[in-house]
Amino acid sequence: FVAEPRVDQDLDRLFGFSEFMLRQGLRPGARLLEAGVLRIADPQSRVLRELGLPAGSRVIYIRRLRTAAGEPLVIASTWLPEARFPDFLRHDLRRQSVYRIMERTGYKPTRAIETIEAVTLTAEQAALLGVAPGSAALLIRRTGYSNGVPVEYAEDYYRGDRTSFRVRLGE
C-alpha cells in the first residue's frame, strides 16, 4: 500500500481551488451537488452575519464536490449575496471557477479571513469524498472581501489524508 502524496496549499495568497490545483500540476474538477437561491430568515444565521446581511436576505448557495486529477478532495459550500451576483447561476458551475465568475462582475475577493478546524466527516460527507465515516478532515471557513465588503462566505471540508496547508507568518 502506497499513500498518495498530500496536496499542499499555501495560505499566503488568496486563490480559488482551481488555481491552487493548476499550480500543483493537477487538473481541477467539480461535481455540482446543489445550487440555488435561498432566503435566510434566521437573524442568528452565520451566513448572514459573515456577509453582513439582514434577516430575510437572499443568497446564492452552491455546493460542489471538488476534485484534483479526478480524485475527490473537497466538499465546497459557498454563499454569495444575490444582489451582487444576480446572474451567477446562469454560469456552468461544473466547468467554471467561482472566483473567475466573481471576477467578471468586479467583485472577486481580494482579501479573506479563514479559520481552520479539525473535524470528522459524517457518513454523507465521507461517501462523497470516498473515505470511511468518521475520517479526519479540515473544515475551512472563509469570508472573502472585495473593496472591504464581504462578498463570499464558504465552508470547505478537505480530506485530512490528502491535503495539508502551509501558512506563512511575518515578513
Side-chain angles (χ1 to χ4, degrees):
F1 174 75
V2 176
E4 289 290 324
R6 290 181 185 266
V7 175
D8 272 333
Q9 295 191 46
D10 285 315
L11 294 179
D12 62 340
R13 293 186 55 205
L14 185 58
F15 293 116
F17 179 85
S18 295
E19 191 168 349
F20 267 128
M21 292 306 107
L22 290 170
R23 287 174 171 270
Q24 297 267 333
L26 299 169
R27 185 180 87 273
R31 183 172 126 210
L32 186 62
L33 303 172
E34 294 179 63
V37 176
L38 307 172
R39 181 178 302 278
I40 302 178
D42 179 5
Q44 303 302 314
S45 163
R46 178 188 291 255
V47 171
L48 294 181
R49 185 174 63 249
E50 294 295 327
L51 291 174
L53 299 172
S57 292
R58 291 168 54 96
V59 296
I60 296 166
Y61 173 63
I62 305 152
R63 186 170 184 243
R64 300 185 299 169
L65 179 64
R66 300 308 314 263
T67 61
E71 181 181 19
L73 285 184
V74 184
I75 300 168
S77 297
T78 305
W79 294 264
L80 309 169
E82 185 194 33
R84 292 208 186 274
F85 304 100
D87 297 323
F88 198 90
L89 293 176
R90 292 185 183 166
H91 295 274
D92 184 352
L93 299 169
R94 292 167 298 184
R95 290 185 172 76
Q96 293 186 42
S97 159
V98 167
Y99 274 16
R100 179 111 352 125
I101 298 168
M102 293 173 83
E103 185 173 38
R104 288 188 202 127
T105 68
Y107 291 109
K108 178 185 175 190
T110 55
R111 179 176 75 84
I113 296 173
E114 291 188 337
T115 61
I116 304 171
E117 180 181 344
V119 297
T120 55
L121 296 169
T122 66
E124 186 256 349
Q125 292 167 329
L128 286 170
L129 292 171
V131 296
S135 291
L138 293 172
L139 167 58
I140 297 186
R141 291 187 174 105
R142 177 182 56 262
T143 302
Y145 298 84
S146 176
N147 298 315
V149 176
V151 294
E152 168 207 31
Y153 175 66
E155 293 182 354
D156 300 338
Y157 289 85
Y158 283 79
R159 280 180 51 176
D161 66 329
R162 292 287 287 122
T163 53
S164 65
F165 293 89
R166 182 178 308 117
V167 179
R168 289 190 171 96
L169 303 172
E171 295 183 40

